[in-house]
Amino acid sequence: MNGNLTKGPIMKTLVKLALPIMASSFISTLYNITDMAWIGMLGSKAVAGVGVGGMFTWLSQGLASMARMGGQVHVAQCLGRGDHDRAHRYAQTAVQLSTLMGLLYALVCVAFVHPLVNFFQLSDAESYAAAISYTRIACGFVVFSFLSLTLTGLYTAQGDSKTPFIANLIGLVINMVLDPVLILGPGPFPRLGVTGAAIATVTAQAIVMLIMVLGVLRGHKDNILKGTRLLARMPLSILEGIFQIGVPTALQSMAYCAISMVLTRMVSGYGAEAVATQRVGGQIESISWNTADGFAAALNAFVAQNYGAAKHDRIRKGYLISLLTVGLWGLLVTAIFICFPGPLAGIFFHEPQAIATAISYLIIIGFSEAFMCVELTTVGALSGLGKTRLCSILSITFTGARIPLAIILSRPLGLDGIWWALTSTSIVKGILFTGTFLWITRNNNY
């Protein structure tokens, strides 16, 4: 495993690491879009139910990011300093912590599934039943997702983005095969609807995790995950290091999800079509979100290793290259959303009202895509420097502003006012985070 990111041409190093991660993120997008496309055939009420259930899987990813980010940053920085033994201890503890949190989260979601779903005040019985069914299964086996995310981060920290890509590609193929079979029940197969979608997703996640575990067992001896023991004692000093980096990231991600839950509750007042639009629109938007997040993960490992090696000039150059790349991608997505909202909406919806609502969403949200890509990339870079607390403060503050802004704008604009609240805050965050990174790295004393 050649995972040294502190040497060689910056552009080549970043692209070599980033392309498999971006491809993996795009595969993750296809995961969700595949589910939504097939579930859309069941109607907007089923989509709305899955949208609510998906909020809790999204929240789980925020919690999982604590072990992932804390482990990834510390492992990369230790490898940059040449301390492989400490890197292994951080990796092992991250895996242990991820397993524990995944099991606890599943227990809470299964035990309190009705009060959790009741928060969204779904008035339609079919949407409510779909939400309950999806949440029970998708969150009940969420430990596979937790471990997949953490293992992906630890592979990336070592400069290996190919193994997670292969694992996710195989998972996507399995998910695409299982979705129509389990959701629609062709031929002798039972028609499971939303339940089938959840089973397909969980099965794919479990296989992705197993492939990455096999990669550790059969891979190169230099892999810092070699010899990981789940039942070993977790050193307090290592836990403290993971929490120091990971907790702000987890709070940021979970706060973002909680804010979105409040907004979803506001959206639900406009009917099942509005909730379905928010869910599906978010999946379409993940074309840019997941791609930028994938590049951010590569940049995070690049920055962390070079920070550990005290190569500050490479950090700034790598950031500027990444900024240009994701900015251009975001502009392309903006053009597609604004110019072709109808064909995109027609893939997932078949009722005229739902299509009209989705078109409005895509046009409004489209204006912020480039800014959102820049924001995510910059968060990855700042986190690589260990500045996760700063990222958390900035992100929670301005993302939280969406709630009062949505209340104000929805009075004259209705549902569109909520969409404009999302777009305007994304634009502000993109500008703010970029300026913050450039200010912090203006000299080599950071």
Side-chain angles (χ1 to χ4, degrees):
M1 181 181 299
N2 182 18
N4 192 341
L5 307 177
T6 64
K7 299 178 181 179
I10 295 175
M11 183 66 174
K12 182 179 179 180
T13 301
L14 268 175
V15 170
K16 186 178 179 180
L17 181 63
L19 282 179
I21 300 176
M22 293 171 67
S24 296
S25 296
F26 186 68
I27 286 171
S28 178
T29 300
L30 290 179
Y31 258 175
N32 298 324
I33 289 178
T34 298
D35 282 342
M36 286 298 101
W38 289 111
I39 293 170
M41 299 183 69
L42 302 176
S44 59
K45 293 179 180 179
V47 175
V50 172
V52 167
M55 282 289 178
F56 298 108
T57 59
W58 182 14
L59 183 65
S60 75
Q61 292 184 8
L63 184 61
S65 68
M66 179 172 67
R68 172 183 175 166
M69 184 61 72
Q72 178 175 329
V73 170
H74 277 295
V75 165
Q77 289 185 356
C78 287
L79 291 176
R81 291 190 293 267
D83 190 347
H84 287 257
D85 180 65
R86 193 166 181 82
H88 168 73
R89 282 185 282 165
Y90 271 115
Q92 176 173 277
T93 303
V95 171
Q96 292 174 290
L97 192 60
S98 183
T99 303
L100 178 62
M101 291 190 302
L103 293 173
L104 290 176
Y105 187 87
L107 181 62
V108 170
C109 285
V110 171
F112 301 100
V113 62
H114 286 283
L116 289 171
V117 171
N118 284 338
F119 170 80
F120 293 95
Q121 297 182 334
L122 292 172
S123 57
D124 181 79
E126 183 180 342
S127 297
Y128 181 82
I132 293 292
S133 176
Y134 190 87
T135 303
R136 276 179 174 158
I137 298 172
C139 291
F141 296 92
V142 79
V143 68
F144 300 132
S145 175
F146 271 59
L147 284 170
S148 295
L149 289 168
T150 299
L151 290 172
T152 296
L154 296 174
Y155 269 105
T156 303
Q158 301 174 77
D160 178 9
S161 54
K162 292 181 181 178
T163 302
F165 166 69
I166 294 171
N168 280 284
L169 179 61
I170 294 173
L172 170 66
V173 173
I174 292 171
N175 194 60
M176 292 180 71
V177 171
L178 291 179
D179 261 344
V181 172
L182 297 180
I183 293 174
L184 302 178
F189 297 99
R191 182 184 175 94
L192 300 178
V194 168
T195 300
I199 293 173
T201 298
V202 166
T203 302
Q205 289 171 346
I207 291 172
V208 169
M209 181 205 72
L210 287 173
I211 292 172
M212 283 194 277
V213 170
L214 288 174
V216 175
L217 297 176
R218 302 181 62 180
H220 197 278
K221 63 180 181 180
D222 289 339
N223 191 322
I224 49 90
L225 285 162
K226 281 280 188 182
T228 296
R229 295 178 297 159
L230 284 178
L231 300 180
R233 186 181 66 86
M234 292 185 279
L236 290 178
S237 61
I238 299 296
L239 277 174
E240 182 180 354
I242 290 178
F243 288 151
Q244 185 178 12
I245 295 293
V247 168
T249 299
L251 290 176
Q252 173 187 334
S253 183
M254 295 175 72
Y256 188 90
C257 182
I259 292 164
S260 295
M261 286 182 171
V262 174
L263 292 171
T264 299
R265 182 170 176 172
M266 294 172 61
V267 169
S268 68
Y270 294 89
E273 291 84 1
V275 177
T277 293
Q278 185 186 27
R279 169 63 175 177
V280 172
Q283 299 306 328
I284 300 174
E285 189 185 7
S286 65
I287 293 172
S288 57
W289 189 91
N290 271 336
T291 302
D293 200 44
F295 211 100
L299 184 61
N300 177 274
F302 176 87
V303 168
Q305 280 201 22
N306 282 281
Y307 184 67
K311 295 189 176 182
H312 299 95
D313 188 54
R314 283 176 64 85
I315 291 174
R316 189 177 177 90
K317 289 180 180 178
Y319 171 73
L320 293 176
I321 291 171
S322 303
L323 196 69
L324 177 62
T325 304
V326 299
L328 290 174
W329 173 256
L331 289 174
L332 175 62
V333 175
T334 290
I336 293 173
F337 279 18
I338 294 176
C339 298
F340 306 104
L344 284 174
I347 296 173
F348 304 94
F349 294 107
H350 307 284
E351 302 102 328
Q353 180 59 42
I355 291 176
T357 304
I359 288 174
S360 181
Y361 174 92
L362 290 171
I363 292 174
I364 294 172
I365 213 72
F367 287 102
S368 66
E369 294 306 295
F371 295 94
M372 181 188 65
C373 288
V374 167
E375 174 202 347
L376 291 172
T377 301
T378 307
V379 168
L382 286 170
S383 298
L385 297 176
K387 307 289 185 181
T388 53
R389 183 179 300 176
L390 174 62
C391 292
S392 179
I393 292 172
L394 292 176
S395 182
I396 292 174
T397 299
F398 287 91
T399 304
R402 289 178 171 179
I403 295 175
L405 191 59
I407 294 173
I408 294 170
L409 294 179
S410 63
R411 289 171 181 169
L413 300 177
L415 183 60
D416 285 350
I418 299 177
W419 308 150
W420 278 114
L422 302 178
T423 288
S424 59
T425 50
S426 287
I427 292 173
V428 171
K429 288 192 294 179
I431 296 171
L432 179 64
F433 271 103
T434 302
T436 300
F437 184 87
L438 294 176
W439 173 259
I440 289 174
T441 59
R442 67 192 184 280
N443 54 49
N444 291 335
N445 295 325
Y446 56 92

